[in-house]
Amino acid sequence: LVDDTLWIRFRPTSTVPPNTSLPLDCGEESIAITLNGTANSVGAPSANSPQSFCQTSNPTIADLLATGGAGASIRWYENMTGGEALEESASLAADTYYASQVLGECEGTARTSVVVTLSSPPTLATVGGDQTINANGTTNSLGGNPPDMGTGLWSVVSGGTGIFSDPSANNSTFTHSTGNSIVLRWTISNPPCDPSSDDLTVTVEGGVEPCVPPPDPPTAASPQNFCAGATVTDLGATGTPGANIVWYA
């Protein structure tokens, strides 16, 4: 085998005609056969490792990802060398798998290793009951459950703003800033599995919700003089059109 060319030498012969004592010698000839390639010329495919899956998604060999050359197909094995190619429907285990690529009729001998990790779904999230607080007040513990699997995080879903004492603590508290019916969410995550979450509502009572931006202060004459028996309603002040005037001692 020289330069991907296979040379074959042969000696053609002819059947000896009847009544002929010597065989016919036709001499030697050679032919050249050019090979299209060898398995060793097909490189290993590329693949990211590790590749992670959620156990509850029941991943199979078909879910593994590897990239070969243009037009190549991928075969997966349990061993670095030898063995039978795995069926695409075979279930994945937390193990190492090996990918080769096939170009045309040639399968490469080089294989790429991929470590597979399987994750359990996160703990089912639960929270305490809804709570009622005063404006700018702070709740009791929000009552999220501690995760056995995954990590937790509090967030504001809708209805206002505020500050968690510790967003990653299941027993965090929440201090109100704006809004009067605020939905809070406790989410437990363990990627690549889908997260689990549960919500509660914080209702705010009392106080005047601050405006953003606040209105200009009203104008008023000072001093204002009254006869005995006057009340707060007798005070005079002018605010922005449509505004109500609130007096404080």
Side-chain angles (χ1 to χ4, degrees):
L1 180 62
V2 179
D3 296 331
D4 294 335
T5 300
L6 180 66
W7 290 88
I8 300 177
R9 176 171 294 175
F10 64 95
R11 179 190 296 273
T13 60
S14 175
T15 303
V16 178
N19 303 319
T20 301
S21 60
L22 296 176
L24 297 177
D25 187 351
C26 298
E28 292 185 346
E29 298 289 344
S30 297
I31 60 173
I33 300 176
T34 300
L35 304 179
N36 289 329
T38 65
N40 288 332
S41 67
V42 180
S46 60
N48 292 330
S49 182
Q51 296 186 28
S52 300
F53 303 91
C54 188
Q55 289 179 340
T56 54
S57 67
N58 299 316
T60 67
I61 291 296
D63 295 309
L64 291 171
L65 298 177
T67 302
S73 59
I74 304 297
R75 291 178 182 172
W76 291 94
Y77 296 85
E78 291 180 318
N79 306 305
M80 178 61 81
T81 59
E84 296 291 329
L86 297 169
E87 296 289 337
E88 288 193 347
S89 59
S91 296
L92 288 178
D95 205 345
T96 302
Y97 294 86
Y98 303 88
S100 70
Q101 64 174 321
V102 180
L103 285 168
E105 298 181 357
C106 296
E107 179 177 4
T109 57
R111 295 178 183 176
T112 298
S113 63
V114 172
V115 175
V116 169
T117 62
L118 298 179
S119 299
S120 298
T123 302
L124 184 67
T126 61
V127 297
D130 297 338
Q131 298 190 39
T132 300
I133 60 174
N134 292 324
N136 302 315
T138 299
T139 66
N140 296 320
S141 168
L142 297 174
N145 60 317
D148 295 322
M149 182 63 64
T151 57
L153 186 68
W154 286 101
S155 61
V156 175
V157 178
S158 63
T161 62
I163 299 174
F164 295 101
S165 60
D166 184 349
S168 61
N170 64 290
N171 59 352
S172 177
T173 60
F174 177 79
T175 299
H176 167 257
S177 295
T178 66
N180 53 27
S181 183
I182 309 164
V183 178
L184 307 181
R185 177 169 294 168
W186 175 237
T187 301
I188 301 177
S189 303
N190 192 36
C193 299
D194 292 334
S196 174
S197 63
D198 195 16
D199 297 349
L200 63 87
T201 299
V202 175
T203 301
V204 179
E205 293 182 342
V208 177
E209 185 69 23
C211 297
V212 180
D216 294 329
T219 59
S222 180
Q224 297 184 27
N225 300 311
F226 302 94
C227 293
T231 66
V232 169
T233 58
D234 295 316
L235 289 169
T238 303
T240 302
N244 295 320
I245 304 299
V246 180
W247 291 96
Y248 297 87

Coordinates of all heavy atoms in Angstrom, one line a residue, residues 77 79 81-85 111:
Y77 N -20.9 4.9 22.1 CA -20.5 3.6 22.6 C -20.3 3.8 24.1 O -20.2 4.9 24.7 CB -19.1 3.2 22.0 CG -19.2 2.9 20.5 CD1 -19.1 4.0 19.6 CD2 -19.4 1.6 20.1 CE1 -19.2 3.7 18.2 CE2 -19.4 1.4 18.7 CZ -19.3 2.4 17.8 OH -19.4 2.1 16.4
N79 N -17.6 2.2 25.5 CA -16.2 2.0 25.6 C -15.4 3.0 24.7 O -15.9 3.4 23.6 CB -15.8 0.6 25.3 CG -16.6 -0.4 26.1 OD1 -16.6 -0.3 27.4 ND2 -17.3 -1.3 25.5
T81 N -12.8 2.1 23.0 CA -12.5 1.3 21.8 C -13.4 0.0 21.7 O -13.8 -0.5 22.8 CB -11.0 0.8 21.7 OG1 -10.7 0.0 22.9 CG2 -10.1 2.0 21.7
G82 N -13.7 -0.4 20.5 CA -14.5 -1.6 20.4 C -15.9 -1.5 20.9 O -16.4 -0.4 21.2
G83 N -16.6 -2.6 21.0 CA -17.9 -2.6 21.5 C -19.0 -2.4 20.4 O -18.6 -2.0 19.2
E84 N -20.2 -2.5 20.7 CA -21.3 -2.3 19.8 C -21.9 -0.9 20.0 O -22.0 -0.4 21.1 CB -22.4 -3.3 20.1 CG -22.0 -4.8 19.8 CD -21.8 -5.0 18.3 OE1 -22.5 -4.3 17.5 OE2 -20.9 -5.9 18.0
A85 N -22.3 -0.3 18.9 CA -22.9 1.1 19.0 C -24.2 1.0 19.7 O -25.0 0.0 19.6 CB -23.1 1.6 17.6
R111 N -12.5 8.4 19.2 CA -13.8 8.7 19.9 C -13.6 9.8 20.9 O -12.5 10.0 21.5 CB -14.3 7.4 20.6 CG -14.6 6.3 19.6 CD -15.1 5.1 20.3 NE -15.4 4.0 19.4 CZ -15.7 2.7 19.7 NH1 -15.9 2.4 21.0 NH2 -15.9 1.8 18.8

